Short mmCIF file of all heavy atoms in Angstrom, two decimals:
data_model
loop_
_atom_site.label_atom_id
_atom_site.label_comp_id
_atom_site.label_asym_id
_atom_site.label_seq_id
_atom_site.Cartn_x
_atom_site.Cartn_y
_atom_site.Cartn_z
N LYS A 1 111.32 73.78 43.93
CA LYS A 1 112.23 74.62 44.70
C LYS A 1 112.92 75.57 43.73
O LYS A 1 113.37 75.17 42.67
CB LYS A 1 113.23 73.72 45.40
CG LYS A 1 114.03 74.41 46.45
CD LYS A 1 114.83 73.38 47.21
CE LYS A 1 115.53 74.01 48.36
NZ LYS A 1 116.32 73.05 49.09
N GLN A 2 113.05 76.82 44.09
CA GLN A 2 113.66 77.82 43.22
C GLN A 2 114.73 78.57 44.01
O GLN A 2 114.50 78.96 45.15
CB GLN A 2 112.56 78.79 42.74
CG GLN A 2 113.02 79.83 41.78
CD GLN A 2 113.09 79.32 40.35
OE1 GLN A 2 112.75 78.18 40.08
NE2 GLN A 2 113.55 80.13 39.45
N LEU A 3 115.89 78.74 43.42
CA LEU A 3 116.94 79.54 44.04
C LEU A 3 116.75 80.99 43.64
O LEU A 3 116.30 81.28 42.53
CB LEU A 3 118.32 79.07 43.58
CG LEU A 3 118.75 77.68 44.03
CD1 LEU A 3 120.09 77.33 43.43
CD2 LEU A 3 118.81 77.59 45.53
N THR A 4 117.09 81.91 44.50
CA THR A 4 116.97 83.33 44.21
C THR A 4 117.81 83.69 43.00
O THR A 4 118.95 83.27 42.88
CB THR A 4 117.45 84.16 45.42
OG1 THR A 4 116.70 83.75 46.56
CG2 THR A 4 117.27 85.64 45.18
N GLY A 5 117.21 84.47 42.07
CA GLY A 5 117.95 84.95 40.92
C GLY A 5 117.89 84.05 39.71
O GLY A 5 118.42 84.39 38.67
N LEU A 6 117.25 82.89 39.80
CA LEU A 6 117.17 82.01 38.65
C LEU A 6 116.07 82.47 37.71
O LEU A 6 115.08 83.06 38.11
CB LEU A 6 116.89 80.57 39.09
CG LEU A 6 117.99 79.90 39.89
CD1 LEU A 6 117.58 78.48 40.24
CD2 LEU A 6 119.29 79.88 39.13
N SER A 7 116.23 82.18 36.46
CA SER A 7 115.27 82.57 35.43
C SER A 7 113.99 81.77 35.53
O SER A 7 113.99 80.61 35.90
CB SER A 7 115.91 82.37 34.06
OG SER A 7 114.97 82.56 33.05
N ASP A 8 112.88 82.41 35.16
CA ASP A 8 111.60 81.72 35.06
C ASP A 8 111.33 81.30 33.62
O ASP A 8 110.29 80.73 33.32
CB ASP A 8 110.46 82.62 35.54
CG ASP A 8 110.50 82.82 37.04
OD1 ASP A 8 110.97 81.91 37.74
OD2 ASP A 8 110.08 83.88 37.51
N ASN A 9 112.25 81.55 32.71
CA ASN A 9 112.10 81.21 31.30
C ASN A 9 112.01 79.70 31.14
O ASN A 9 112.80 78.95 31.70
CB ASN A 9 113.32 81.76 30.54
CG ASN A 9 113.26 81.54 29.06
OD1 ASN A 9 112.72 80.54 28.59
ND2 ASN A 9 113.81 82.47 28.32
N ALA A 10 111.04 79.25 30.36
CA ALA A 10 110.83 77.81 30.16
C ALA A 10 112.08 77.13 29.59
O ALA A 10 112.36 75.97 29.90
CB ALA A 10 109.63 77.57 29.25
N ASP A 11 112.85 77.84 28.77
CA ASP A 11 114.07 77.26 28.18
C ASP A 11 115.15 77.01 29.22
O ASP A 11 116.07 76.24 29.00
CB ASP A 11 114.62 78.18 27.08
CG ASP A 11 113.71 78.27 25.88
OD1 ASP A 11 112.91 77.33 25.66
OD2 ASP A 11 113.79 79.28 25.16
N ASP A 12 115.04 77.68 30.34
CA ASP A 12 116.07 77.56 31.38
C ASP A 12 115.70 76.54 32.46
O ASP A 12 116.45 76.35 33.41
CB ASP A 12 116.30 78.92 32.05
CG ASP A 12 116.89 79.94 31.10
OD1 ASP A 12 117.56 79.53 30.14
OD2 ASP A 12 116.69 81.14 31.33
N ASN A 13 114.56 75.89 32.32
CA ASN A 13 114.09 74.98 33.38
C ASN A 13 115.07 73.85 33.68
O ASN A 13 115.28 73.50 34.84
CB ASN A 13 112.72 74.40 33.04
CG ASN A 13 111.61 75.39 33.26
OD1 ASN A 13 111.80 76.41 33.93
ND2 ASN A 13 110.46 75.13 32.70
N ARG A 14 115.69 73.26 32.65
CA ARG A 14 116.64 72.16 32.91
C ARG A 14 117.86 72.67 33.66
O ARG A 14 118.37 72.00 34.55
CB ARG A 14 117.05 71.49 31.60
CG ARG A 14 115.97 70.61 31.04
CD ARG A 14 116.45 69.83 29.89
NE ARG A 14 116.89 70.76 28.85
CZ ARG A 14 117.04 70.45 27.58
NH1 ARG A 14 116.84 69.22 27.18
NH2 ARG A 14 117.45 71.34 26.71
N TRP A 15 118.34 73.87 33.28
CA TRP A 15 119.48 74.45 33.99
C TRP A 15 119.10 74.71 35.45
O TRP A 15 119.84 74.37 36.37
CB TRP A 15 119.91 75.75 33.31
CG TRP A 15 120.90 76.52 34.09
CD1 TRP A 15 120.67 77.60 34.87
CD2 TRP A 15 122.30 76.25 34.23
NE1 TRP A 15 121.83 78.02 35.48
CE2 TRP A 15 122.84 77.21 35.09
CE3 TRP A 15 123.15 75.28 33.69
CZ2 TRP A 15 124.19 77.23 35.43
CZ3 TRP A 15 124.49 75.30 34.04
CH2 TRP A 15 125.00 76.27 34.90
N ASN A 16 117.94 75.32 35.66
CA ASN A 16 117.49 75.61 37.02
C ASN A 16 117.36 74.34 37.84
O ASN A 16 117.78 74.30 39.00
CB ASN A 16 116.13 76.33 37.00
CG ASN A 16 116.23 77.74 36.44
OD1 ASN A 16 117.30 78.29 36.27
ND2 ASN A 16 115.07 78.31 36.15
N GLU A 17 116.80 73.30 37.25
CA GLU A 17 116.63 72.03 37.96
C GLU A 17 117.98 71.46 38.38
O GLU A 17 118.17 71.01 39.51
CB GLU A 17 115.87 71.03 37.09
CG GLU A 17 115.58 69.74 37.79
CD GLU A 17 114.82 68.74 36.93
OE1 GLU A 17 114.70 68.95 35.71
OE2 GLU A 17 114.35 67.74 37.50
N GLY A 18 118.94 71.48 37.46
CA GLY A 18 120.27 70.98 37.79
C GLY A 18 120.93 71.80 38.88
O GLY A 18 121.56 71.26 39.79
N LEU A 19 120.78 73.11 38.79
CA LEU A 19 121.40 73.98 39.78
C LEU A 19 120.78 73.79 41.16
O LEU A 19 121.49 73.78 42.17
CB LEU A 19 121.27 75.44 39.33
CG LEU A 19 122.20 76.44 40.00
CD1 LEU A 19 123.66 76.03 39.84
CD2 LEU A 19 121.97 77.82 39.42
N VAL A 20 119.49 73.61 41.22
CA VAL A 20 118.83 73.33 42.50
C VAL A 20 119.33 72.02 43.08
O VAL A 20 119.65 71.93 44.28
CB VAL A 20 117.29 73.32 42.33
CG1 VAL A 20 116.61 72.72 43.56
CG2 VAL A 20 116.78 74.72 42.06
N HIS A 21 119.45 71.00 42.25
CA HIS A 21 119.97 69.71 42.74
C HIS A 21 121.42 69.84 43.21
O HIS A 21 121.81 69.24 44.21
CB HIS A 21 119.87 68.64 41.64
CG HIS A 21 118.51 68.04 41.54
ND1 HIS A 21 117.52 68.56 40.76
CD2 HIS A 21 117.98 66.95 42.16
CE1 HIS A 21 116.44 67.81 40.88
NE2 HIS A 21 116.69 66.83 41.73
N LEU A 22 122.21 70.65 42.50
CA LEU A 22 123.60 70.85 42.91
C LEU A 22 123.65 71.57 44.25
O LEU A 22 124.46 71.22 45.12
CB LEU A 22 124.37 71.63 41.84
CG LEU A 22 125.84 71.89 42.13
CD1 LEU A 22 126.60 70.57 42.31
CD2 LEU A 22 126.44 72.71 41.00
N ALA A 23 122.80 72.56 44.46
CA ALA A 23 122.76 73.28 45.74
C ALA A 23 122.37 72.33 46.88
O ALA A 23 122.93 72.40 47.98
CB ALA A 23 121.79 74.45 45.66
N GLU A 24 121.42 71.45 46.61
CA GLU A 24 121.02 70.47 47.63
C GLU A 24 122.16 69.50 47.94
O GLU A 24 122.39 69.14 49.09
CB GLU A 24 119.78 69.71 47.16
CG GLU A 24 118.54 70.57 47.10
CD GLU A 24 117.35 69.92 46.44
OE1 GLU A 24 117.49 68.82 45.85
OE2 GLU A 24 116.27 70.52 46.50
N TYR A 25 122.88 69.08 46.89
CA TYR A 25 124.03 68.18 47.08
C TYR A 25 125.08 68.88 47.95
O TYR A 25 125.62 68.29 48.89
CB TYR A 25 124.62 67.78 45.74
CG TYR A 25 125.79 66.84 45.86
CD1 TYR A 25 125.61 65.46 45.82
CD2 TYR A 25 127.09 67.31 46.02
CE1 TYR A 25 126.68 64.59 45.94
CE2 TYR A 25 128.16 66.45 46.15
CZ TYR A 25 127.96 65.09 46.11
OH TYR A 25 129.01 64.23 46.23
N LYS A 26 125.36 70.15 47.63
CA LYS A 26 126.38 70.89 48.39
C LYS A 26 125.96 71.05 49.84
O LYS A 26 126.79 70.92 50.75
CB LYS A 26 126.63 72.26 47.77
CG LYS A 26 127.75 72.98 48.49
CD LYS A 26 128.11 74.28 47.82
CE LYS A 26 129.37 74.80 48.44
NZ LYS A 26 129.20 75.96 49.25
N ALA A 27 124.68 71.32 50.08
CA ALA A 27 124.20 71.46 51.45
C ALA A 27 124.37 70.16 52.23
O ALA A 27 124.70 70.17 53.42
CB ALA A 27 122.72 71.88 51.45
N ALA A 28 124.19 69.04 51.56
CA ALA A 28 124.29 67.73 52.22
C ALA A 28 125.73 67.26 52.38
O ALA A 28 126.06 66.60 53.37
CB ALA A 28 123.49 66.69 51.44
N HIS A 29 126.59 67.58 51.40
CA HIS A 29 127.96 67.02 51.38
C HIS A 29 129.06 68.05 51.63
O HIS A 29 130.21 67.66 51.81
CB HIS A 29 128.21 66.33 50.03
CG HIS A 29 127.26 65.21 49.77
ND1 HIS A 29 127.43 63.95 50.27
CD2 HIS A 29 126.09 65.17 49.06
CE1 HIS A 29 126.44 63.16 49.89
NE2 HIS A 29 125.61 63.89 49.16
N GLY A 30 128.73 69.33 51.56
CA GLY A 30 129.73 70.37 51.83
C GLY A 30 130.64 70.70 50.68
O GLY A 30 131.59 71.47 50.84
N HIS A 31 130.38 70.16 49.50
CA HIS A 31 131.20 70.44 48.32
C HIS A 31 130.38 70.15 47.06
O HIS A 31 129.28 69.64 47.13
CB HIS A 31 132.47 69.59 48.32
CG HIS A 31 132.19 68.11 48.31
ND1 HIS A 31 131.86 67.43 47.14
CD2 HIS A 31 132.16 67.20 49.30
CE1 HIS A 31 131.67 66.15 47.43
NE2 HIS A 31 131.84 65.99 48.75
N CYS A 32 130.95 70.54 45.92
CA CYS A 32 130.30 70.32 44.61
C CYS A 32 131.05 69.32 43.75
O CYS A 32 130.89 69.30 42.53
CB CYS A 32 130.15 71.65 43.87
SG CYS A 32 129.01 72.78 44.66
N ARG A 33 131.87 68.49 44.35
CA ARG A 33 132.62 67.46 43.61
C ARG A 33 131.73 66.22 43.46
O ARG A 33 131.98 65.18 44.08
CB ARG A 33 133.93 67.15 44.33
CG ARG A 33 134.88 68.32 44.39
CD ARG A 33 136.19 67.98 45.11
NE ARG A 33 136.00 67.36 46.42
CZ ARG A 33 135.91 68.01 47.57
NH1 ARG A 33 135.96 69.34 47.59
NH2 ARG A 33 135.75 67.36 48.70
N VAL A 34 130.72 66.36 42.62
CA VAL A 34 129.73 65.30 42.45
C VAL A 34 130.31 64.19 41.58
O VAL A 34 130.80 64.46 40.48
CB VAL A 34 128.46 65.87 41.77
CG1 VAL A 34 127.41 64.80 41.60
CG2 VAL A 34 127.92 67.05 42.58
N PRO A 35 130.27 62.94 42.03
CA PRO A 35 130.75 61.84 41.19
C PRO A 35 129.89 61.72 39.92
O PRO A 35 128.69 62.00 39.94
CB PRO A 35 130.55 60.60 42.07
CG PRO A 35 130.39 61.10 43.46
CD PRO A 35 129.83 62.48 43.35
N GLY A 36 130.49 61.34 38.83
CA GLY A 36 129.79 61.22 37.56
C GLY A 36 128.63 60.26 37.58
O GLY A 36 127.70 60.38 36.79
N PHE A 37 128.64 59.30 38.48
CA PHE A 37 127.59 58.29 38.57
C PHE A 37 126.51 58.66 39.59
O PHE A 37 125.58 57.89 39.79
CB PHE A 37 128.18 56.93 38.94
CG PHE A 37 128.96 56.97 40.23
CD1 PHE A 37 128.32 56.86 41.46
CD2 PHE A 37 130.34 57.13 40.22
CE1 PHE A 37 129.02 56.91 42.65
CE2 PHE A 37 131.06 57.17 41.41
CZ PHE A 37 130.39 57.06 42.62
N TYR A 38 126.61 59.84 40.23
CA TYR A 38 125.69 60.20 41.31
C TYR A 38 124.27 60.43 40.79
O TYR A 38 124.05 61.14 39.82
CB TYR A 38 126.17 61.45 42.04
CG TYR A 38 125.25 61.83 43.18
CD1 TYR A 38 125.31 61.16 44.39
CD2 TYR A 38 124.30 62.83 43.02
CE1 TYR A 38 124.46 61.48 45.43
CE2 TYR A 38 123.44 63.16 44.06
CZ TYR A 38 123.53 62.48 45.26
OH TYR A 38 122.68 62.80 46.28
N ILE A 39 123.31 59.84 41.48
CA ILE A 39 121.89 60.02 41.19
C ILE A 39 121.25 60.56 42.46
O ILE A 39 121.40 59.98 43.55
CB ILE A 39 121.23 58.69 40.78
CG1 ILE A 39 121.90 58.13 39.53
CG2 ILE A 39 119.73 58.88 40.56
CD1 ILE A 39 121.45 56.74 39.14
N ALA A 40 120.55 61.68 42.34
CA ALA A 40 119.88 62.30 43.48
C ALA A 40 118.78 61.37 44.01
O ALA A 40 118.29 60.51 43.27
CB ALA A 40 119.29 63.65 43.07
N PRO A 41 118.38 61.56 45.25
CA PRO A 41 117.33 60.70 45.82
C PRO A 41 116.04 60.66 45.00
O PRO A 41 115.33 59.66 45.01
CB PRO A 41 117.08 61.32 47.21
CG PRO A 41 118.38 61.97 47.55
CD PRO A 41 118.92 62.48 46.25
N ASP A 42 115.74 61.73 44.25
CA ASP A 42 114.52 61.75 43.44
C ASP A 42 114.75 61.17 42.04
O ASP A 42 113.85 61.21 41.21
CB ASP A 42 113.94 63.15 43.35
CG ASP A 42 114.82 64.12 42.59
OD1 ASP A 42 115.94 63.75 42.18
OD2 ASP A 42 114.39 65.27 42.39
N GLY A 43 115.95 60.63 41.79
CA GLY A 43 116.24 60.01 40.51
C GLY A 43 116.92 60.92 39.50
O GLY A 43 117.26 60.49 38.40
N TYR A 44 117.15 62.18 39.85
CA TYR A 44 117.80 63.12 38.93
C TYR A 44 119.27 62.73 38.75
O TYR A 44 119.98 62.48 39.72
CB TYR A 44 117.70 64.55 39.48
CG TYR A 44 118.20 65.58 38.52
CD1 TYR A 44 117.41 66.03 37.48
CD2 TYR A 44 119.48 66.11 38.64
CE1 TYR A 44 117.87 66.98 36.58
CE2 TYR A 44 119.95 67.06 37.76
CZ TYR A 44 119.15 67.49 36.73
OH TYR A 44 119.61 68.41 35.84
N LEU A 45 119.72 62.68 37.50
CA LEU A 45 121.11 62.28 37.19
C LEU A 45 122.04 63.48 37.33
O LEU A 45 122.57 64.02 36.36
CB LEU A 45 121.17 61.71 35.77
CG LEU A 45 120.29 60.48 35.52
CD1 LEU A 45 120.33 60.09 34.06
CD2 LEU A 45 120.72 59.33 36.40
N LEU A 46 122.27 63.88 38.56
CA LEU A 46 123.08 65.07 38.82
C LEU A 46 124.51 64.91 38.33
O LEU A 46 125.08 65.85 37.77
CB LEU A 46 123.07 65.41 40.32
CG LEU A 46 123.89 66.63 40.72
CD1 LEU A 46 123.39 67.89 40.02
CD2 LEU A 46 123.86 66.82 42.23
N GLY A 47 125.11 63.77 38.53
CA GLY A 47 126.48 63.56 38.07
C GLY A 47 126.62 63.74 36.57
O GLY A 47 127.57 64.37 36.09
N VAL A 48 125.67 63.22 35.82
CA VAL A 48 125.68 63.37 34.35
C VAL A 48 125.47 64.82 33.97
O VAL A 48 126.18 65.36 33.12
CB VAL A 48 124.60 62.47 33.71
CG1 VAL A 48 124.46 62.75 32.23
CG2 VAL A 48 124.92 61.01 33.96
N TRP A 49 124.49 65.48 34.61
CA TRP A 49 124.21 66.89 34.30
C TRP A 49 125.44 67.75 34.55
O TRP A 49 125.81 68.57 33.70
CB TRP A 49 123.04 67.40 35.15
CG TRP A 49 122.74 68.85 34.93
CD1 TRP A 49 121.97 69.37 33.93
CD2 TRP A 49 123.21 69.96 35.69
NE1 TRP A 49 121.94 70.75 34.05
CE2 TRP A 49 122.70 71.13 35.13
CE3 TRP A 49 124.02 70.07 36.82
CZ2 TRP A 49 122.96 72.40 35.63
CZ3 TRP A 49 124.29 71.34 37.32
CH2 TRP A 49 123.76 72.48 36.73
N LEU A 50 126.09 67.56 35.69
CA LEU A 50 127.24 68.39 36.03
C LEU A 50 128.42 68.12 35.09
O LEU A 50 129.12 69.05 34.69
CB LEU A 50 127.64 68.16 37.48
CG LEU A 50 128.68 69.12 38.04
CD1 LEU A 50 128.23 70.57 37.86
CD2 LEU A 50 128.94 68.82 39.49
N ALA A 51 128.63 66.87 34.72
CA ALA A 51 129.70 66.55 33.78
C ALA A 51 129.48 67.26 32.44
O ALA A 51 130.43 67.78 31.84
CB ALA A 51 129.80 65.04 33.57
N LYS A 52 128.23 67.31 31.98
CA LYS A 52 127.92 68.01 30.73
C LYS A 52 128.19 69.51 30.86
O LYS A 52 128.69 70.13 29.93
CB LYS A 52 126.46 67.78 30.34
CG LYS A 52 126.18 66.40 29.83
CD LYS A 52 124.72 66.25 29.45
CE LYS A 52 124.42 64.84 28.98
NZ LYS A 52 122.99 64.68 28.65
N GLN A 53 127.86 70.09 32.00
CA GLN A 53 128.10 71.52 32.21
C GLN A 53 129.60 71.81 32.20
O GLN A 53 130.05 72.79 31.61
CB GLN A 53 127.48 72.00 33.54
CG GLN A 53 126.01 71.74 33.69
CD GLN A 53 125.20 72.08 32.47
OE1 GLN A 53 125.30 73.17 31.92
NE2 GLN A 53 124.39 71.14 32.03
N ARG A 54 130.36 70.95 32.85
CA ARG A 54 131.82 71.16 32.88
C ARG A 54 132.44 71.01 31.50
O ARG A 54 133.31 71.79 31.11
CB ARG A 54 132.45 70.17 33.86
CG ARG A 54 132.12 70.52 35.29
CD ARG A 54 132.69 69.52 36.27
NE ARG A 54 132.48 69.97 37.64
CZ ARG A 54 132.31 69.17 38.65
NH1 ARG A 54 132.35 67.86 38.48
NH2 ARG A 54 132.12 69.64 39.87
N ARG A 55 131.98 70.01 30.73
CA ARG A 55 132.47 69.85 29.36
C ARG A 55 132.15 71.08 28.52
O ARG A 55 132.99 71.56 27.76
CB ARG A 55 131.88 68.61 28.71
CG ARG A 55 132.70 67.38 28.88
CD ARG A 55 132.28 66.24 27.96
NE ARG A 55 130.85 65.95 27.99
CZ ARG A 55 130.25 65.17 28.88
NH1 ARG A 55 130.95 64.60 29.83
NH2 ARG A 55 128.95 64.95 28.82
N ALA A 56 130.95 71.59 28.64
CA ALA A 56 130.54 72.76 27.87
C ALA A 56 131.41 73.97 28.22
O ALA A 56 131.78 74.75 27.36
CB ALA A 56 129.07 73.07 28.11
N CYS A 57 131.76 74.09 29.49
CA CYS A 57 132.61 75.20 29.93
C CYS A 57 134.00 75.08 29.32
O CYS A 57 134.55 76.07 28.84
CB CYS A 57 132.69 75.22 31.45
SG CYS A 57 133.68 76.56 32.12
N TRP A 58 134.56 73.89 29.32
CA TRP A 58 135.91 73.70 28.79
C TRP A 58 135.95 73.83 27.27
O TRP A 58 136.97 74.20 26.70
CB TRP A 58 136.47 72.34 29.20
CG TRP A 58 136.89 72.35 30.63
CD1 TRP A 58 136.26 71.76 31.67
CD2 TRP A 58 138.03 73.02 31.20
NE1 TRP A 58 136.93 72.01 32.84
CE2 TRP A 58 138.02 72.78 32.58
CE3 TRP A 58 139.05 73.80 30.66
CZ2 TRP A 58 138.98 73.29 33.44
CZ3 TRP A 58 140.01 74.30 31.52
CH2 TRP A 58 139.98 74.05 32.89
N ARG A 59 134.84 73.53 26.60
CA ARG A 59 134.80 73.58 25.14
C ARG A 59 134.47 74.96 24.58
O ARG A 59 134.60 75.17 23.39
CB ARG A 59 133.78 72.58 24.60
CG ARG A 59 134.25 71.17 24.78
CD ARG A 59 133.25 70.21 24.21
NE ARG A 59 133.74 68.84 24.36
CZ ARG A 59 133.01 67.78 24.20
NH1 ARG A 59 131.74 67.89 23.88
NH2 ARG A 59 133.53 66.59 24.36
N ARG A 60 134.03 75.88 25.43
CA ARG A 60 133.66 77.20 24.93
C ARG A 60 134.91 77.92 24.42
O ARG A 60 136.02 77.69 24.92
CB ARG A 60 132.98 78.02 26.02
CG ARG A 60 133.93 78.44 27.12
CD ARG A 60 133.34 79.37 28.12
NE ARG A 60 134.15 79.52 29.29
CZ ARG A 60 135.37 80.02 29.34
NH1 ARG A 60 135.96 80.43 28.26
NH2 ARG A 60 136.03 80.12 30.48
N PRO A 61 134.74 78.82 23.45
CA PRO A 61 135.89 79.62 23.03
C PRO A 61 136.43 80.42 24.21
O PRO A 61 135.65 80.94 25.02
CB PRO A 61 135.30 80.55 21.96
CG PRO A 61 134.08 79.84 21.48
CD PRO A 61 133.56 79.07 22.67
N LYS A 62 137.71 80.50 24.34
CA LYS A 62 138.33 81.16 25.50
C LYS A 62 138.04 82.65 25.55
O LYS A 62 138.24 83.29 26.57
CB LYS A 62 139.84 80.91 25.52
CG LYS A 62 140.20 79.45 25.60
CD LYS A 62 139.58 78.78 26.81
CE LYS A 62 139.96 77.32 26.86
NZ LYS A 62 139.03 76.48 27.53
N THR A 63 137.55 83.22 24.45
CA THR A 63 137.23 84.64 24.44
C THR A 63 135.85 84.92 25.01
O THR A 63 135.52 86.05 25.30
CB THR A 63 137.28 85.20 23.01
OG1 THR A 63 136.38 84.44 22.18
CG2 THR A 63 138.69 85.11 22.44
N GLU A 64 135.01 83.88 25.19
CA GLU A 64 133.67 84.05 25.74
C GLU A 64 133.75 84.08 27.26
O GLU A 64 134.48 83.33 27.87
CB GLU A 64 132.76 82.89 25.34
CG GLU A 64 132.33 82.92 23.91
CD GLU A 64 131.35 81.77 23.62
OE1 GLU A 64 130.69 81.28 24.56
OE2 GLU A 64 131.26 81.42 22.45
N PRO A 65 132.94 84.99 27.87
CA PRO A 65 132.90 84.98 29.35
C PRO A 65 132.21 83.74 29.86
O PRO A 65 131.42 83.12 29.15
CB PRO A 65 132.09 86.25 29.67
CG PRO A 65 131.29 86.54 28.45
CD PRO A 65 132.09 85.99 27.28
N LEU A 66 132.49 83.35 31.08
CA LEU A 66 131.87 82.17 31.68
C LEU A 66 130.38 82.35 31.87
O LEU A 66 129.61 81.42 31.75
CB LEU A 66 132.52 81.84 33.03
CG LEU A 66 133.91 81.26 32.95
CD1 LEU A 66 134.49 81.08 34.35
CD2 LEU A 66 133.90 79.95 32.21
N LEU A 67 129.93 83.54 32.19
CA LEU A 67 128.49 83.78 32.39
C LEU A 67 128.00 84.79 31.41
O LEU A 67 128.56 85.67 30.97
CB LEU A 67 128.21 84.26 33.81
CG LEU A 67 128.52 83.22 34.88
CD1 LEU A 67 128.29 83.83 36.26
CD2 LEU A 67 127.63 82.01 34.73
#
């Protein structure tokens, strides 16, 4: 499954996979507040992936843009 606008670059595949799982979670639950222990039905560790993304965002230098 691919979301519109996502990169086809092989280096971005893990990011794309996580984002697709997050979109599916939001469609099912109505929010993106994924518990850290959440595992998607296909076994993807979405809670772990999202926690890592949030940590990376908070650790970035404040002068860097979010995207």
Side-chain angles (χ1 to χ4, degrees):
K1 192 171 186 181
Q2 183 82 2
L3 293 177
T4 304
L6 294 181
S7 172
D8 289 330
N9 183 326
D11 293 336
D12 294 335
N13 284 344
R14 285 188 300 199
W15 170 259
N16 291 348
E17 184 180 12
L19 198 56
V20 167
H21 278 89
L22 181 59
E24 291 171 352
Y25 181 92
K26 184 175 190 250
H29 300 277
H31 61 80
C32 293
R33 296 180 309 270
V34 181
F37 56 83
Y38 181 79
I39 300 172
D42 66 356
Y44 187 80
L45 300 175
L46 180 60
V48 172
W49 178 83
L50 190 55
K52 287 180 182 179
Q53 304 315 309
R54 289 178 174 149
R55 268 194 309 276
C57 181
W58 284 107
R59 289 182 178 166
R60 71 173 167 63
K62 300 303 180 207
T63 57
E64 286 184 23
L66 288 175
L67 295 176

